[in-house]
Amino acid sequence: MAHLALYTFGVLKSPLADPAPLTRELHDSGAAVYRRLSRHPGYLARAEAAGGGRGTHFDLDWGAWGAFAVPTWYDKGRTVATAALDATLSLWTDLRSAFDAVYTGPHREALNRRHDWFERTGHPSHVTWWVSEGVIPTWQDGVSRLEHLHDHGSAPHAFTFHRPFAPEGTPTRIEAIGDEGGQVR
């Protein structure tokens, strides 16, 4: 049985260490969003740093999720004082569960505020792909697939919720919430 891997990446308008209210709001909302996502039907796991993770994404031990990596277009800092990014890597039982978790509840509320916190880079902010049961995707897998998506568009190797593929590689659709037969917009 295949599982869905989901990688998200965004370049923040200010470094993570910035004490400004907008940066604090992003951090404060993150804990509630992660708690809710972890209880969502279909959620399997997400990359979490060992030991509570003190430091930058780059310095942390991510265990089976591998060394932290970023797309080639990320040109901001890599230290505690200068890092200006937010990234997630998670596993889901299926496409619909991940879609519902992202586009409803607290995560949807955060998405509505994304332009307050994140730069508009002209690059995709998420990518999904199928992995075999028992496979843990790595940060580098996510980066490679996000870059592939940017360069080649949605394909079975790397796709978005808006142009998804089934595990066997055929194009599929996700009905929008409350929209019988409609494709995600």
Side-chain angles (χ1 to χ4, degrees):
M1 175 180 214
H3 289 152
L4 187 78
L6 169 61
Y7 172 72
T8 66
F9 185 83
V11 179
L12 296 170
K13 290 182 175 181
S14 60
L16 290 165
D18 184 351
L22 280 177
T23 306
R24 280 197 312 273
E25 287 173 17
L26 173 64
H27 284 278
D28 292 347
S29 69
V33 168
Y34 286 134
R35 258 191 319 278
R36 181 83 173 265
L37 288 177
S38 69
R39 292 190 307 261
H40 197 279
Y43 170 86
L44 294 173
R46 74 176 173 95
E48 294 185 79
R54 304 290 293 164
T56 71
H57 289 77
F58 301 95
D59 303 328
L60 301 175
D61 175 5
W62 294 97
W65 302 89
F68 188 75
V70 294
T72 55
W73 64 81
Y74 176 74
D75 61 357
K76 302 245 178 159
R78 294 174 182 244
T79 67
V80 172
T82 62
L85 63 93
D86 196 20
T88 65
L89 181 58
S90 57
L91 271 173
W92 297 84
T93 57
D94 60 277
L95 192 58
R96 183 75 222 197
S97 295
F99 176 84
D100 287 349
V102 168
Y103 289 104
T104 63
H107 193 271
R108 177 69 209 174
E109 293 168 20
L111 278 177
N112 289 340
R113 302 251 350 254
R114 68 187 172 274
H115 298 302
D116 293 342
W117 302 315
F118 295 97
E119 292 182 1
R120 296 179 190 212
T121 65
H123 297 275
S125 61
H126 80 278
V127 65
T128 56
W129 69 99
W130 296 103
V131 297
S132 299
E133 187 171 355
V135 170
I136 303 293
T138 67
W139 288 108
Q140 186 57 56
D141 293 337
V143 167
S144 297
R145 303 224 184 208
L146 191 68
E147 290 175 343
H148 185 276
L149 176 67
H150 177 260
D151 294 343
H152 305 286
S154 222
H157 176 77
F159 53 92
T160 65
F161 288 121
H162 301 286
R163 295 205 46 225
F165 287 80
E168 64 277 358
T170 58
T172 190
R173 295 162 51 123
I174 306 172
E175 291 179 6
I177 298 169
D179 182 16
E180 294 298 317
Q183 188 167 3
V184 172
R185 292 174 235 327

